[in-house]
Amino acid sequence: FDAIQAGLSDKFMTALRRSIERIRQFPRPYAVYRLSIRICPLRPFQIGVFYRVEGDVVYVLRVLDLRSNPKSLRQKLGM
């Protein structure tokens, strides 16, 4: 990201940490992508945090580019 804009990787990591913290605190409000996998968009980036909730545990499965082909996303998620 820093090749695109200086400091962009720091902004990305900050946004990622905030999103994971929101998911940890409130995992269920985010949309279900497929089956039991949910997606939290990472704004302003076109990235999504894909995760699953099992009881009180949240499993982050992948952090993926949302511009990817849907079939490619499913493959990366093991679907």
Side-chain angles (χ1 to χ4, degrees):
F1 285 117
D2 282 335
I4 298 169
Q5 178 184 339
L8 193 56
S9 61
D10 289 336
K11 290 178 184 176
F12 173 80
M13 290 306 297
T14 298
L16 180 59
R17 283 188 204 101
R18 286 182 182 155
S19 290
I20 290 174
E21 183 59 27
R22 281 194 307 272
I23 292 167
R24 189 184 69 74
Q25 291 178 2
F26 307 103
R28 300 202 188 275
Y30 294 99
V32 174
Y33 172 70
R34 288 196 131 196
L35 304 173
S36 62
I37 297 175
R38 295 177 179 269
I39 181 172
C40 174
L42 189 63
R43 295 200 170 91
F45 302 90
Q46 294 179 326
I47 304 285
V49 179
F50 291 81
Y51 67 98
R52 179 182 328 223
V53 180
E54 294 180 16
D56 293 337
V57 180
V58 175
Y59 297 95
V60 174
L61 306 173
R62 302 261 188 204
V63 178
L64 299 171
D65 187 337
L66 297 175
R67 298 169 294 178
S68 297
N69 177 310
K71 184 177 179 180
S72 173
L73 286 176
R74 287 191 303 273
Q75 287 174 337
K76 291 176 182 176
L77 291 167
M79 304 175 104

